[in-house]
Amino acid sequence: GAGVSQSPSNKVTEKGKDVELRCDPISGHTALYWYRQSLGQGLEFLIYFQGNSAPDKSGLPSDRFSAERTGGSVSTLTIQRTQQEDSAVYLCASSFRRGADTQYFGPGTRLTVL
Amino acid sequence: AQKVTQAQTEISVVEKEDVTLDCVYETRDTTYYLFWYKQPPSGELVFLIRRNSFDEQNEISGRYSWNFQKSTSSFNFTITASQVVDSAVYFCALRNTDKLIFGTGTRLQVFP
């Protein structure tokens, strides 16, 4: 079946603008995760959703970052007032359930903040 | 503290050579899960294997094999008879509650 999809694949924005990144998880997967991959920080966890439970936001680097998941499926990661240090690849993953289940990753969105 | 260390930043081999990628982890949990992912130049992280802490049997899948040793907190990955298509960055990861903690990755370059 279809894997995790993300859009856009590339996004270039100016410093101070807001951006929205979208993730469509694998159908039937109840858990959804956002990670960020940057040269300086490697792969780091941002936020995770499990069903209708409150999300784990412990990895969000600042209050400019937020995410929502509508109807237990599609998720949007929003970055407000983007800064150059936000430039990175944003990866979304989903798993059938939380915890030990394997996380399957999408192709990522490359964000460049000028 | 939960931590994954991949000490090898980059490895270069010639096709058909065997290569081992090292992974050392730290955790206080008695039950934990370890993963390996491959990131080819296209950028997408591809799942390779998941191993739980109660299963120390080595696993072989084609040219790939994994050696899990709790005594040394290591979960090493060996590619036998490497091929150019194996060129990628390989990440080892440890599950911490519901999120993955990744190592810094090992870039493998296989030359023809």
Side-chain angles (χ1 to χ4, degrees):
Chain A
V4 178
S5 61
Q6 293 185 244
S7 61
S9 55
N10 279 285
K11 177 71 177 179
V12 180
T13 190
E14 293 179 350
K15 178 182 173 181
K17 301 282 189 183
D18 297 352
V19 295
E20 286 189 352
L21 312 179
R22 176 188 168 102
C23 172
D24 277 287
I26 293 172
S27 178
H29 280 193
T30 62
L32 186 148
Y33 310 79
W34 284 98
Y35 293 83
R36 179 169 71 174
Q37 185 173 23
S38 58
L39 282 177
Q41 301 298 323
L43 271 159
E44 53 180 348
F45 165 79
L46 296 176
I47 187 171
Y48 120 88
F49 297 87
Q50 170 58 45
N52 296 320
S53 302
D56 176 354
K57 305 179 183 179
S58 60
L60 294 179
S62 78
D63 58 9
R64 296 185 296 104
F65 287 73
S66 63
E68 63 177 18
R69 189 177 184 193
T70 54
S73 181
V74 172
S75 176
T76 302
L77 177 69
T78 301
I79 308 173
Q80 296 179 309
R81 304 181 303 281
T82 52
Q83 303 294 312
Q84 288 184 333
E85 61 263 28
D86 299 334
S87 296
V89 176
Y90 290 82
L91 293 163
C92 178
S94 70
S95 66
F96 183 59
R97 297 166 306 183
R98 63 185 294 173
D101 281 2
T102 298
Q103 296 179 25
Y104 295 93
F105 284 80
T109 293
R110 180 174 297 277
L111 174 65
T112 303
V113 182
L114 302 177
Chain B
Q2 313 263 2
K3 186 179 178 181
V4 175
T5 301
Q6 293 180 257
Q8 303 151 308
T9 304
E10 187 163 341
I11 301 175
S12 295
V13 299
V14 177
E15 236 182 350
K16 297 184 184 177
E17 283 187 34
D18 298 347
V19 57
T20 295
L21 309 181
D22 298 333
C23 173
V24 174
Y25 61 92
E26 294 177 31
T27 180
R28 293 186 192 143
D29 295 343
T30 53
T31 301
Y32 51 90
Y33 292 81
L34 296 161
F35 300 79
W36 275 95
Y37 285 85
K38 174 182 179 180
Q39 188 173 44
S42 61
E44 188 162 346
L45 278 168
V46 177
F47 165 73
L48 295 178
I49 190 171
R50 179 184 76 182
R51 173 66 78 220
N52 74 55
S53 52
F54 295 110
D55 183 2
E56 286 195 74
Q57 286 189 354
N58 292 333
E59 177 147 346
I60 299 174
S61 176
R63 296 183 298 106
Y64 294 172
S65 62
W66 290 269
N67 184 351
F68 176 33
Q69 292 197 348
K70 289 177 73 171
S71 61
T72 55
S73 296
S74 65
F75 186 40
N76 296 337
F77 173 31
T78 297
I79 302 175
T80 303
S82 59
Q83 300 177 2
V84 173
V85 294
D86 297 327
S87 296
V89 180
Y90 291 85
F91 290 94
C92 181
L94 170 69
R95 181 181 74 91
N96 176 12
T97 57
D98 295 298
K99 59 182 177 282
L100 295 176
I101 295 177
F102 287 89
T104 50
T106 298
R107 179 177 300 277
L108 174 65
Q109 294 197 63
V110 182
F111 294 99

